[in-house]
């Protein structure tokens, strides 16, 4: 359960160009569900995901994770949460060039101190599941858009996060690949995975796997299913 | 975690993972890293060369003077070095505190073929038999001489004197013996035109080391044209000479070094956009700032330690195996030592440590500090 209470995010705070990208959000997100944030470009979807995913702190308000306040925690604990609780699929994937698919996937596990073979074994299982086994040793620069996204997804899943966060996951995919992505999300959902997606792609908004749609505009919730 | 399989501790597993990533990161920026490594190695090489060379020379000088007599008396005539006779020797015997007086026979010989000055000398004890000579390794090398070979020297009498090589030196100090030729009195006198009963100078032993200065004073009273030379003074002169030369060299080098240091610092600390992005990604997927730094630290350690090691070994080879071609002329410089020679290896632990601290640590700092700056900022930029 993720709870937001009066959350605001103000960029350039205190300056003349101060701007509230998130402007007072109260929201409770159930575990084990797929929640979609939608709304026009610039409405604050990405910003909201960075706040929930502990990549940044809100300027005001509180975020609680299973009842535990996280918004005020020191950086060390936020990093710990990003490592263990959240898995990110960034809009631009953010794979590290010059590394292979497998090397990218095991990266979040490096600080855990788990024997390498063990990490590689679980990485290969995930890659198998995402139909990437053949690409395990390919440099990520050679991947197609769909493959790059599935690599990013494998990396997001390697530490078995409780919450998977995907920002505009279908922005670079054609309809067939977008369908495949939604199928994978449906499979994860069936295993009880909590998923947060931001998207203004109608294909995603209308997907049956999405249980709840939260519509944003100008940093505020305008509609919440 | 670390439940099954490996016996390695999680700490080692983590470091292994960081090293693994560091090595791959270096591989990705190969050209940059190789350039940096080369400049750094050159830096260590130059510094270590000067330090090793100066240290070995200083040690040589100590050896050279260890066996030197406490007091040497020379004679001046018209302001120039002149020979001493047996009568001079007798007049000094009466001075209280003087132990033994050993008359010495030696002089310089210019060899036009190798265009070098050699030192000819008749040792007081155990000289080679007449017609034979013992030569320094430098001369043997330059003139291609081996035991049994005949070597001709042109004497002050205008005649050629052919001497057979009786042996070569295996002295602790090549600096002393490199250009030295030992021969019998009967060969040396005609070569250097020293008449019978005359000597180059006199070596005095003084019973009480504290009285050396007093004895020197009395020598001057008895023999006003004498020039007493104290070992302690020589030692000071040598040290001053070495320090001065090392100082000049380091001053000259420091300009070059400064340029290198700036280059190394710049290259090491210049965090490219790609690297900045990568640090952001690592932070975003849950690497702690300290873990990013550990990875950078390994990168810096691998680079700087290997460069230090290679630079130092190259400097060692340069000074002690190759005859220090880059520094020789600068530091040695005194004329009698013309023949090329190799210094015996001599390494000072404190010097190594000093060099290590002043090269490896700034380098690692140069790599880690910018990474640290990039790592402490919020990682939300990776979402954009
Ligand atoms: N770092 C930033 N500094 C200033 N303004 C920002 C920053 N990041 C986002 N914004 C602004 O916040 C608003 C919301 O952005 P974003 O969350 O990316 O919207 P969305 O993902 O819905 O398109 C936009 O107007 C954007 O320009
Ligand atoms: Mg966005």
């Amino acid at each position: 359960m993720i709870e937001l209470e009066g959350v605001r995010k103000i960029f350039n705070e205190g300056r003349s160009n101060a701007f509230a990208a998130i402007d007072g959000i109260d929201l409770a997100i159930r575990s084990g569900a797929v929640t979609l944030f939608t709304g026009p470009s610039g409405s604050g979807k990405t910003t909201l995901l960075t706040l929930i995913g502990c990549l940044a702190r809100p300027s005001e308000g509180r975020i609680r994770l299973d009842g535990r306040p996280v918004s005020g925690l020191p950086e060390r604990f936020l990093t710990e949460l990003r490592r263990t609780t959240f898995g990110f699929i960034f809009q631009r994937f953010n794979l590290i060039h010059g590394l292979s698919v497998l090397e990218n996937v095991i990266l979040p596990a490096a600080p855990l101190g788990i024997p390498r073979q063990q990490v590689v074994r679980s990485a290969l299982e995930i890659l198998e599941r995402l139909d990437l086994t053949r690409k395990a040793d390919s440099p990520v620069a050679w991947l197609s858009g769909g493959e790059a996204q599935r690599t990013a997804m494998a990396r997001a899943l390697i530490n078995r996060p409780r919450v998977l966060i995907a920002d505009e996951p279908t922005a670079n995919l054609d309809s067939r690949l977008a369908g495949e992505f939604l199928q994978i999300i449906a499979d994860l959902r069936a295993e009880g995975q909590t998923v947060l997606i931001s998207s203004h792609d109608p294909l995603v908004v209308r997907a049956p796997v999405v249980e709840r749609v939260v519509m944003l505009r100008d940093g505020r919730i305008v509609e919440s299913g | 975690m670390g439940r099954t399989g490996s016996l390695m501790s999680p700490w080692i597993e983590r470091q292994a993972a960081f090293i693994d990533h560091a090595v791959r990161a270096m591989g990705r920026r190969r050209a940059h890293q190789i350039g940096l490594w080369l400049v750094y190695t050159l830096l260590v090489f130059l510094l270590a060369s000067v330090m090793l060379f100066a240290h070995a020379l200083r040690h040589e000088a100590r050896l050279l003077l260890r066996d030197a007599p406490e007091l040497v008396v020379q004679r001046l005539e018209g302001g120039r070095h002149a020979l001493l006779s047996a009568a001079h020797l007798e007049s000094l015997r009466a001075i209280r505190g003087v132990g033994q007086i050993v008359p010495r026979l030696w002089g310089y010989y210019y060899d036009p073929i190798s265009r070098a000055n050699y030192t000819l000398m008749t040792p007081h004890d155990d000289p080679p038999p007449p017609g034979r000579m013992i030569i320094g390794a430098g001369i043997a090398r330059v003139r291609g001489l081996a035991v049994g070979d005949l070597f001709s020297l042109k004497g002050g009498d205008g005649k050629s004197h052919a001497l057979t090589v009786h042996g070569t030196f295996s002295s602790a100090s090549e600096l002393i013996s490199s250009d030295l030729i030992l021969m019998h009195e009967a060969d040396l006198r005609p070569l250097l035109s020293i008449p019978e009963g005359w000597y180059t100078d006199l070596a005095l032993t003084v019973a009480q080391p504290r009285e050396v200065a007093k004895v020197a004073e009395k020598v001057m009273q008895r023999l006003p044209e004498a020039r007493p030379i104290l070992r302690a003074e020589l030692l000071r002169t040598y040290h001053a000479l070495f320090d001065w030369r090392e100082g000049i060299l380091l001053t000259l080098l420091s300009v070059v070094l400064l340029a290198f240091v700036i280059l190394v610092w710049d290259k090491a600390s210049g965090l490219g956009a790609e690297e900045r992005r990568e640090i952001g990604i690592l932070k975003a997927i849950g690497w702690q700032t300290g873990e990013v730094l550990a990875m950078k630290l390994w990168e810096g350690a691998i680079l700087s330690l290997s460069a230090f090691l290679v630079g130092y070994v190259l400097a060692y080879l340069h000074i002690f195996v190759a005859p220090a071609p880059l520094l020789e002329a600068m530091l040695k410089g005194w004329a009698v030592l013309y023949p090329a020679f190799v210094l015996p290896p001599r390494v000072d632990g404190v010097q190594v440590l000093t060099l290590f601290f002043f090269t490896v640590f700034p380098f690692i700092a140069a790599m880690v500090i910018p990474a640290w700056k990039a790592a402490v900022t919020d990682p939300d930029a990776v979402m954009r």
Side-chain angles (χ1 to χ4, degrees), chain A residues 9 11 46-47 49-50 55-57 75-77 79-80 82-83 88 90-92 94-99 103 107-108 110-118 155 159 165 167, chain B residues 1-6 8-11 13-14 17-18 20-21 24-25 28 274 277-278 281-289 291 375-384:
Chain A
K9 178 69 179 179
F11 288 113
T46 299
T47 306
L49 289 184
T50 64
L55 286 163
R57 288 193 187 82
E75 169 60 24
R76 206 151 50 81
F77 292 94
T79 306
E80 180 74 24
R82 291 199 297 274
R83 171 193 297 179
F88 297 91
F90 303 104
Q91 180 169 1
R92 289 175 208 201
N94 280 333
L95 300 173
I96 292 180
H97 298 294
L99 294 186
E103 285 158 2
L107 221 41
L112 297 180
I114 304 172
R116 189 183 156 93
Q117 309 118 288
Q118 206 172 311
R155 184 180 66 183
N159 286 349
I165 294 178
D167 191 20
Chain B
M1 300 226 175
R3 293 151 301 227
T4 56
S6 175
M8 285 202 280
S9 78
W11 188 86
E13 291 287 358
R14 278 156 49 89
F18 296 149
D20 190 68
H21 189 69
R24 282 174 215 282
R28 263 174 289 144
E274 183 66 16
R277 175 178 165 269
E278 183 180 324
I281 294 172
L282 291 177
K283 287 275 331 233
I285 62 176
W287 284 42
Q288 298 284 0
T289 301
E291 290 157 355
V376 290
T377 53
D378 270 348
D380 60 337
V382 299
M383 288 287 263
R384 305 286 158 196

Side-chain angles (χ1 to χ4, degrees), chain A residues 9-12 17 19-22 38-50 91 167-168 198 200 216 219, chain B residues 380-381 383-384:
Chain A
K9 178 69 179 179
I10 300 158
F11 288 113
N12 309 320
N17 58 346
F19 176 76
I22 294 296
T38 189
S41 179
S43 58
K45 305 183 289 295
T46 299
T47 306
L48 189 59
L49 289 184
T50 64
Q91 180 169 1
D167 191 20
E168 304 281 1
S198 89
H200 57 266
L216 299 176
Chain B
D380 60 337
M383 288 287 263
R384 305 286 158 196

